[in-house]
Amino acid sequence: MKNKILLFLLAIFILSCESDDSDSHSDSNLQELPLSKRLIGAWNLTDYYSDTYFEEWNEGRIEEIVSAETDYGIEFTDNPKRIILTGFLRYSFKEYEIVDGEKVITYEATNFMDAEHGEGYHTNEWRVENEILITEDPRDGDPYFSLSEMQLSGDNLKLTLDPSQFNPKNSGEITVEYKRK
């Protein structure tokens, strides 16, 4: 009887080791896929931060996620390559001027991006070129493009945008971070 129990436990151990190996093997297979294939799927927003300086107005704006009031997601589909947005992003913002090299806050409030209205930096059609995520929103006569440097590590995705792409007189950095659902 003891031998049967030991044999049964040994079989369970061997099977569990095999399943662990296949799980880690599938992770390595995922890493071998092109970046555009690894993006496919749904992602939850985990962080949002923007510090943009608008030279034309001599003012800047810092935006930060209000996590407790945010449930925002993005999904990359493959055929067609579309982005589907879900939920709501609440963020606080501070407007500032630069005085003697220091940021001086002039106004504070909160605002939001609502997926129901297609609001976000990454919308509609997408593609990846040289580890840059390119999204395009073909608006009426004035298409909107967004270029984002990508860092994809396991289930974590960080997108970094340069605000000067929207206006050459803007400077700063925008980061949007997601975790795979």
Side-chain angles (χ1 to χ4, degrees):
M1 181 70 171
K2 287 182 183 179
N3 286 342
K4 287 183 180 180
I5 292 173
L6 287 173
L7 187 57
F8 177 74
L9 292 173
L10 180 62
I12 290 174
F13 176 74
I14 290 171
L15 289 174
S16 68
C17 289
E18 287 178 8
S19 67
D20 287 346
D21 288 345
S22 65
D23 287 345
S24 64
H25 191 284
S26 65
D27 287 342
S28 67
N29 284 343
L30 182 62
Q31 293 302 320
E32 292 172 10
L33 290 174
L35 194 52
S36 61
K37 294 293 184 192
R38 294 186 317 195
L39 281 178
I40 304 299
W43 301 79
N44 285 325
L45 182 71
T46 58
D47 198 14
Y48 166 69
Y49 179 82
S50 172
D51 186 350
T52 302
Y53 187 74
F54 308 96
E55 185 180 316
E56 289 178 317
W57 303 312
N58 294 319
E59 68 180 28
R61 183 170 165 140
I62 298 170
E63 300 176 351
E64 296 181 272
I65 189 172
V66 177
S67 296
E69 298 179 36
T70 295
D71 182 21
Y72 188 84
I74 189 170
E75 180 178 357
F76 294 89
T77 65
D78 191 28
N79 194 11
K81 287 194 178 310
R82 302 276 302 169
I83 291 177
I84 300 168
L85 302 174
T86 57
F88 187 84
L89 163 60
R90 170 77 62 191
Y91 60 91
S92 63
F93 69 88
K94 299 175 184 174
E95 294 178 355
Y96 65 87
E97 295 176 354
I98 305 231
V99 178
D100 296 327
E102 298 291 322
K103 293 178 182 176
V104 176
I105 305 300
T106 58
Y107 182 75
E108 295 183 53
T110 62
N111 204 348
F112 62 91
M113 289 184 201
D114 190 347
E116 187 174 306
H117 298 285
E119 297 172 343
Y121 289 104
H122 307 96
T123 61
N124 288 314
E125 300 171 6
W126 69 276
R127 65 184 182 277
V128 175
E129 294 178 8
N130 299 321
E131 298 191 13
I132 301 289
L133 173 65
I134 302 168
T135 59
E136 181 178 354
D137 185 352
R139 298 179 185 183
D140 297 333
D142 186 20
Y144 168 83
F145 288 91
S146 172
L147 306 174
S148 304
E149 290 183 25
M150 297 176 52
Q151 294 175 333
L152 180 57
S153 176
D155 289 337
N156 298 301
L157 172 63
K158 181 178 181 180
L159 302 171
T160 304
L161 297 96
D162 179 348
S164 69
Q165 69 182 300
F166 308 116
N167 181 331
K169 295 181 179 181
N170 294 352
S171 61
E173 183 174 85
I174 302 165
T175 58
V176 186
E177 296 182 39
Y178 294 94
K179 183 156 186 77
R180 187 181 299 276
K181 285 186 181 179

